mmCIF file of all heavy atoms in Angstrom:
data_model
loop_
_atom_site.group_PDB
_atom_site.id
_atom_site.type_symbol
_atom_site.label_atom_id
_atom_site.label_comp_id
_atom_site.label_asym_id
_atom_site.label_seq_id
_atom_site.Cartn_x
_atom_site.Cartn_y
_atom_site.Cartn_z
ATOM 1 N N LEU A 28 -8.909 -48.198 -25.375
ATOM 2 C CA LEU A 28 -10.194 -48.466 -25.989
ATOM 3 C C LEU A 28 -10.821 -49.657 -25.279
ATOM 4 O O LEU A 28 -10.134 -50.643 -24.995
ATOM 5 C CB LEU A 28 -9.941 -48.781 -27.462
ATOM 6 C CG LEU A 28 -11.048 -49.238 -28.353
ATOM 7 C CD1 LEU A 28 -12.133 -48.191 -28.441
ATOM 8 C CD2 LEU A 28 -10.488 -49.494 -29.738
ATOM 9 N N ILE A 29 -12.109 -49.572 -24.972
ATOM 10 C CA ILE A 29 -12.833 -50.691 -24.372
ATOM 11 C C ILE A 29 -13.793 -51.224 -25.422
ATOM 12 O O ILE A 29 -14.704 -50.527 -25.865
ATOM 13 C CB ILE A 29 -13.612 -50.268 -23.101
ATOM 14 C CG1 ILE A 29 -12.710 -49.538 -22.099
ATOM 15 C CG2 ILE A 29 -14.290 -51.496 -22.477
ATOM 16 C CD1 ILE A 29 -11.562 -50.342 -21.556
ATOM 17 N N SER A 30 -13.585 -52.462 -25.821
ATOM 18 C CA SER A 30 -14.453 -53.104 -26.805
ATOM 19 C C SER A 30 -15.596 -53.798 -26.076
ATOM 20 O O SER A 30 -15.368 -54.600 -25.174
ATOM 21 C CB SER A 30 -13.647 -54.136 -27.610
ATOM 22 O OG SER A 30 -14.516 -54.945 -28.369
ATOM 23 N N ALA A 31 -16.824 -53.501 -26.479
ATOM 24 C CA ALA A 31 -17.999 -54.096 -25.833
ATOM 25 C C ALA A 31 -18.125 -55.589 -26.125
ATOM 26 O O ALA A 31 -18.659 -56.339 -25.320
ATOM 27 C CB ALA A 31 -19.270 -53.389 -26.273
ATOM 28 N N HIS A 32 -17.614 -56.017 -27.278
ATOM 29 C CA HIS A 32 -17.800 -57.408 -27.682
ATOM 30 C C HIS A 32 -16.484 -58.165 -27.843
ATOM 31 O O HIS A 32 -16.446 -59.230 -28.464
ATOM 32 C CB HIS A 32 -18.618 -57.477 -28.972
ATOM 33 C CG HIS A 32 -19.931 -56.773 -28.853
ATOM 34 N ND1 HIS A 32 -20.894 -57.149 -27.945
ATOM 35 C CD2 HIS A 32 -20.427 -55.687 -29.486
ATOM 36 C CE1 HIS A 32 -21.931 -56.334 -28.049
ATOM 37 N NE2 HIS A 32 -21.665 -55.436 -28.970
ATOM 38 N N GLY A 33 -15.417 -57.615 -27.306
ATOM 39 C CA GLY A 33 -14.131 -58.310 -27.289
ATOM 40 C C GLY A 33 -13.716 -58.862 -28.631
ATOM 41 O O GLY A 33 -13.774 -58.172 -29.643
ATOM 42 N N ARG A 34 -13.343 -60.113 -28.647
ATOM 43 C CA ARG A 34 -12.835 -60.737 -29.874
ATOM 44 C C ARG A 34 -13.914 -60.890 -30.936
ATOM 45 O O ARG A 34 -13.617 -61.244 -32.062
ATOM 46 C CB ARG A 34 -12.167 -62.067 -29.563
ATOM 47 C CG ARG A 34 -13.080 -63.144 -29.037
ATOM 48 C CD ARG A 34 -12.327 -64.411 -28.638
ATOM 49 N NE ARG A 34 -11.726 -64.247 -27.324
ATOM 50 C CZ ARG A 34 -10.416 -64.242 -27.101
ATOM 51 N NH1 ARG A 34 -9.572 -64.438 -28.054
ATOM 52 N NH2 ARG A 34 -9.947 -64.077 -25.889
ATOM 53 N N HIS A 35 -15.169 -60.595 -30.601
ATOM 54 C CA HIS A 35 -16.258 -60.674 -31.579
ATOM 55 C C HIS A 35 -16.502 -59.352 -32.302
ATOM 56 O O HIS A 35 -17.287 -59.307 -33.239
ATOM 57 C CB HIS A 35 -17.553 -61.134 -30.905
ATOM 58 C CG HIS A 35 -17.431 -62.492 -30.295
ATOM 59 N ND1 HIS A 35 -17.388 -63.644 -31.041
ATOM 60 C CD2 HIS A 35 -17.315 -62.878 -29.007
ATOM 61 C CE1 HIS A 35 -17.272 -64.684 -30.243
ATOM 62 N NE2 HIS A 35 -17.222 -64.243 -28.997
ATOM 63 N N ALA A 36 -15.880 -58.265 -31.856
ATOM 64 C CA ALA A 36 -16.048 -56.961 -32.509
ATOM 65 C C ALA A 36 -15.315 -56.967 -33.846
ATOM 66 O O ALA A 36 -14.186 -57.445 -33.949
ATOM 67 C CB ALA A 36 -15.504 -55.851 -31.614
ATOM 68 N N HIS A 37 -15.944 -56.424 -34.867
ATOM 69 C CA HIS A 37 -15.330 -56.420 -36.194
ATOM 70 C C HIS A 37 -14.017 -55.653 -36.206
ATOM 71 O O HIS A 37 -13.057 -56.076 -36.849
ATOM 72 C CB HIS A 37 -16.306 -55.857 -37.231
ATOM 73 C CG HIS A 37 -17.457 -56.764 -37.485
ATOM 74 N ND1 HIS A 37 -17.341 -57.927 -38.199
ATOM 75 C CD2 HIS A 37 -18.748 -56.697 -37.097
ATOM 76 C CE1 HIS A 37 -18.510 -58.532 -38.260
ATOM 77 N NE2 HIS A 37 -19.390 -57.808 -37.582
ATOM 78 N N TYR A 38 -13.956 -54.513 -35.503
ATOM 79 C CA TYR A 38 -12.697 -53.767 -35.520
ATOM 80 C C TYR A 38 -11.593 -54.521 -34.789
ATOM 81 O O TYR A 38 -10.415 -54.364 -35.118
ATOM 82 C CB TYR A 38 -12.854 -52.326 -35.018
ATOM 83 C CG TYR A 38 -13.220 -52.143 -33.569
ATOM 84 C CD1 TYR A 38 -12.273 -52.202 -32.571
ATOM 85 C CD2 TYR A 38 -14.532 -51.877 -33.200
ATOM 86 C CE1 TYR A 38 -12.600 -52.008 -31.249
ATOM 87 C CE2 TYR A 38 -14.872 -51.668 -31.892
ATOM 88 C CZ TYR A 38 -13.909 -51.739 -30.914
ATOM 89 O OH TYR A 38 -14.251 -51.547 -29.597
ATOM 90 N N VAL A 39 -11.935 -55.374 -33.841
ATOM 91 C CA VAL A 39 -10.914 -56.202 -33.191
ATOM 92 C C VAL A 39 -10.404 -57.257 -34.175
ATOM 93 O O VAL A 39 -9.198 -57.487 -34.266
ATOM 94 C CB VAL A 39 -11.441 -56.839 -31.883
ATOM 95 C CG1 VAL A 39 -10.444 -57.843 -31.316
ATOM 96 C CG2 VAL A 39 -11.733 -55.752 -30.853
ATOM 97 N N HIS A 40 -11.299 -57.856 -34.961
ATOM 98 C CA HIS A 40 -10.857 -58.779 -36.014
ATOM 99 C C HIS A 40 -9.886 -58.059 -36.949
ATOM 100 O O HIS A 40 -8.848 -58.613 -37.328
ATOM 101 C CB HIS A 40 -12.056 -59.276 -36.850
ATOM 102 C CG HIS A 40 -12.930 -60.249 -36.161
ATOM 103 N ND1 HIS A 40 -12.793 -61.604 -36.289
ATOM 104 C CD2 HIS A 40 -13.986 -60.050 -35.335
ATOM 105 C CE1 HIS A 40 -13.724 -62.205 -35.580
ATOM 106 N NE2 HIS A 40 -14.456 -61.282 -34.981
ATOM 107 N N ASN A 41 -10.234 -56.832 -37.334
ATOM 108 C CA ASN A 41 -9.388 -56.074 -38.254
ATOM 109 C C ASN A 41 -8.028 -55.761 -37.659
ATOM 110 O O ASN A 41 -7.001 -55.927 -38.323
ATOM 111 C CB ASN A 41 -10.079 -54.775 -38.677
ATOM 112 C CG ASN A 41 -11.271 -55.009 -39.571
ATOM 113 O OD1 ASN A 41 -11.426 -56.073 -40.172
ATOM 114 N ND2 ASN A 41 -12.138 -54.015 -39.656
ATOM 115 N N LEU A 42 -7.983 -55.328 -36.400
ATOM 116 C CA LEU A 42 -6.683 -54.971 -35.833
ATOM 117 C C LEU A 42 -5.853 -56.199 -35.473
ATOM 118 O O LEU A 42 -4.632 -56.112 -35.400
ATOM 119 C CB LEU A 42 -6.824 -53.994 -34.663
ATOM 120 C CG LEU A 42 -7.523 -54.409 -33.379
ATOM 121 C CD1 LEU A 42 -6.612 -55.163 -32.450
ATOM 122 C CD2 LEU A 42 -8.040 -53.159 -32.696
ATOM 123 N N LEU A 43 -6.487 -57.350 -35.299
ATOM 124 C CA LEU A 43 -5.705 -58.575 -35.126
ATOM 125 C C LEU A 43 -5.031 -58.960 -36.442
ATOM 126 O O LEU A 43 -3.907 -59.468 -36.450
ATOM 127 C CB LEU A 43 -6.587 -59.722 -34.631
ATOM 128 C CG LEU A 43 -7.034 -59.628 -33.179
ATOM 129 C CD1 LEU A 43 -8.065 -60.712 -32.854
ATOM 130 C CD2 LEU A 43 -5.845 -59.713 -32.232
ATOM 131 N N ALA A 44 -5.708 -58.699 -37.572
ATOM 132 C CA ALA A 44 -5.135 -58.989 -38.883
ATOM 133 C C ALA A 44 -4.046 -57.980 -39.244
ATOM 134 O O ALA A 44 -3.052 -58.320 -39.880
ATOM 135 C CB ALA A 44 -6.224 -58.993 -39.946
ATOM 136 N N ASP A 45 -4.242 -56.716 -38.854
ATOM 137 C CA ASP A 45 -3.267 -55.649 -39.118
ATOM 138 C C ASP A 45 -3.336 -54.665 -37.967
ATOM 139 O O ASP A 45 -4.258 -53.848 -37.899
ATOM 140 C CB ASP A 45 -3.577 -54.946 -40.439
ATOM 141 C CG ASP A 45 -2.552 -53.871 -40.783
ATOM 142 O OD1 ASP A 45 -1.641 -53.591 -39.970
ATOM 143 O OD2 ASP A 45 -2.672 -53.300 -41.878
ATOM 144 N N PRO A 46 -2.388 -54.726 -37.025
ATOM 145 C CA PRO A 46 -2.456 -53.884 -35.825
ATOM 146 C C PRO A 46 -2.154 -52.405 -36.055
ATOM 147 O O PRO A 46 -2.315 -51.597 -35.155
ATOM 148 C CB PRO A 46 -1.426 -54.510 -34.886
ATOM 149 C CG PRO A 46 -0.483 -55.226 -35.777
ATOM 150 C CD PRO A 46 -1.265 -55.658 -36.977
ATOM 151 N N ARG A 47 -1.738 -52.036 -37.271
ATOM 152 C CA ARG A 47 -1.483 -50.617 -37.550
ATOM 153 C C ARG A 47 -2.825 -49.909 -37.719
ATOM 154 O O ARG A 47 -3.639 -50.296 -38.550
ATOM 155 C CB ARG A 47 -0.639 -50.450 -38.813
ATOM 156 C CG ARG A 47 0.769 -51.019 -38.636
ATOM 157 C CD ARG A 47 1.492 -51.044 -39.938
ATOM 158 N NE ARG A 47 0.716 -51.916 -40.849
ATOM 159 C CZ ARG A 47 0.960 -52.031 -42.132
ATOM 160 N NH1 ARG A 47 1.907 -51.341 -42.702
ATOM 161 N NH2 ARG A 47 0.226 -52.828 -42.882
ATOM 162 N N VAL A 48 -3.047 -48.878 -36.901
ATOM 163 C CA VAL A 48 -4.318 -48.145 -36.910
ATOM 164 C C VAL A 48 -4.036 -46.649 -36.909
ATOM 165 O O VAL A 48 -2.895 -46.213 -36.711
ATOM 166 C CB VAL A 48 -5.186 -48.513 -35.681
ATOM 167 C CG1 VAL A 48 -5.529 -49.992 -35.662
ATOM 168 C CG2 VAL A 48 -4.519 -48.105 -34.373
ATOM 169 N N ARG A 49 -5.113 -45.898 -37.127
ATOM 170 C CA ARG A 49 -5.088 -44.446 -36.931
ATOM 171 C C ARG A 49 -6.219 -44.111 -35.979
ATOM 172 O O ARG A 49 -7.267 -44.758 -35.995
ATOM 173 C CB ARG A 49 -5.312 -43.686 -38.239
ATOM 174 C CG ARG A 49 -4.156 -43.716 -39.166
ATOM 175 C CD ARG A 49 -4.222 -42.698 -40.311
ATOM 176 N NE ARG A 49 -5.533 -42.382 -40.800
ATOM 177 C CZ ARG A 49 -5.851 -41.231 -41.407
ATOM 178 N NH1 ARG A 49 -4.937 -40.303 -41.586
ATOM 179 N NH2 ARG A 49 -7.074 -41.011 -41.853
ATOM 180 N N VAL A 50 -5.995 -43.077 -35.162
ATOM 181 C CA VAL A 50 -7.022 -42.613 -34.237
ATOM 182 C C VAL A 50 -7.196 -41.123 -34.482
ATOM 183 O O VAL A 50 -6.229 -40.362 -34.437
ATOM 184 C CB VAL A 50 -6.619 -42.862 -32.768
ATOM 185 C CG1 VAL A 50 -7.692 -42.344 -31.830
ATOM 186 C CG2 VAL A 50 -6.355 -44.336 -32.514
ATOM 187 N N GLY A 51 -8.443 -40.727 -34.763
ATOM 188 C CA GLY A 51 -8.760 -39.318 -34.946
ATOM 189 C C GLY A 51 -9.355 -38.761 -33.670
ATOM 190 O O GLY A 51 -10.379 -39.243 -33.201
ATOM 191 N N VAL A 52 -8.690 -37.761 -33.098
ATOM 192 C CA VAL A 52 -9.123 -37.156 -31.832
ATOM 193 C C VAL A 52 -9.433 -35.678 -32.085
ATOM 194 O O VAL A 52 -8.654 -34.983 -32.746
ATOM 195 C CB VAL A 52 -8.014 -37.291 -30.757
ATOM 196 C CG1 VAL A 52 -8.433 -36.642 -29.452
ATOM 197 C CG2 VAL A 52 -7.670 -38.751 -30.538
ATOM 198 N N ALA A 53 -10.571 -35.209 -31.571
ATOM 199 C CA ALA A 53 -10.968 -33.809 -31.748
ATOM 200 C C ALA A 53 -9.971 -32.886 -31.068
ATOM 201 O O ALA A 53 -9.560 -33.111 -29.934
ATOM 202 C CB ALA A 53 -12.363 -33.585 -31.174
ATOM 203 N N ASP A 54 -9.577 -31.837 -31.806
ATOM 204 C CA ASP A 54 -8.662 -30.831 -31.280
ATOM 205 C C ASP A 54 -9.052 -29.496 -31.912
ATOM 206 O O ASP A 54 -8.815 -29.295 -33.105
ATOM 207 C CB ASP A 54 -7.215 -31.193 -31.615
ATOM 208 C CG ASP A 54 -6.214 -30.216 -31.018
ATOM 209 O OD1 ASP A 54 -6.576 -29.485 -30.079
ATOM 210 O OD2 ASP A 54 -5.062 -30.191 -31.498
ATOM 211 N N GLY A 55 -9.707 -28.646 -31.145
ATOM 212 C CA GLY A 55 -10.122 -27.351 -31.654
ATOM 213 C C GLY A 55 -11.159 -27.432 -32.765
ATOM 214 O O GLY A 55 -11.100 -26.667 -33.716
ATOM 215 N N GLY A 56 -12.079 -28.389 -32.668
ATOM 216 C CA GLY A 56 -13.126 -28.525 -33.664
ATOM 217 C C GLY A 56 -12.728 -29.315 -34.904
ATOM 218 O O GLY A 56 -13.531 -29.507 -35.804
ATOM 219 N N ARG A 57 -11.483 -29.784 -34.965
ATOM 220 C CA ARG A 57 -11.012 -30.596 -36.090
ATOM 221 C C ARG A 57 -10.408 -31.877 -35.543
ATOM 222 O O ARG A 57 -9.983 -31.936 -34.399
ATOM 223 C CB ARG A 57 -9.929 -29.845 -36.875
ATOM 224 C CG ARG A 57 -10.433 -28.532 -37.458
ATOM 225 C CD ARG A 57 -9.391 -27.855 -38.295
ATOM 226 N NE ARG A 57 -9.021 -28.733 -39.391
ATOM 227 C CZ ARG A 57 -7.839 -28.736 -39.972
ATOM 228 N NH1 ARG A 57 -6.910 -27.907 -39.572
ATOM 229 N NH2 ARG A 57 -7.572 -29.555 -40.970
ATOM 230 N N LEU A 58 -10.356 -32.907 -36.394
ATOM 231 C CA LEU A 58 -9.730 -34.159 -35.975
ATOM 232 C C LEU A 58 -8.229 -34.113 -36.200
ATOM 233 O O LEU A 58 -7.773 -33.700 -37.262
ATOM 234 C CB LEU A 58 -10.297 -35.349 -36.753
ATOM 235 C CG LEU A 58 -11.651 -35.881 -36.325
ATOM 236 C CD1 LEU A 58 -11.956 -37.176 -37.048
ATOM 237 C CD2 LEU A 58 -11.740 -36.091 -34.839
#
């Protein structure tokens, strides 16, 4: 993932607080 605003991006703040994430990727029209 490339963050446009680095440490200023809200999702970067969130993953620094809790690095456990989920990623939804399209597969056959569904995530």
Side-chain angles (χ1 to χ4, degrees):
L28 174 61
I29 308 298
S30 168
H32 304 299
R34 66 185 80 245
H35 299 287
H37 291 287
Y38 66 82
V39 172
H40 287 265
N41 291 341
L42 65 83
L43 287 172
D45 183 355
R47 294 171 299 171
V48 299
R49 287 194 328 155
V50 179
V52 179
D54 183 19
R57 299 184 60 209
L58 282 189

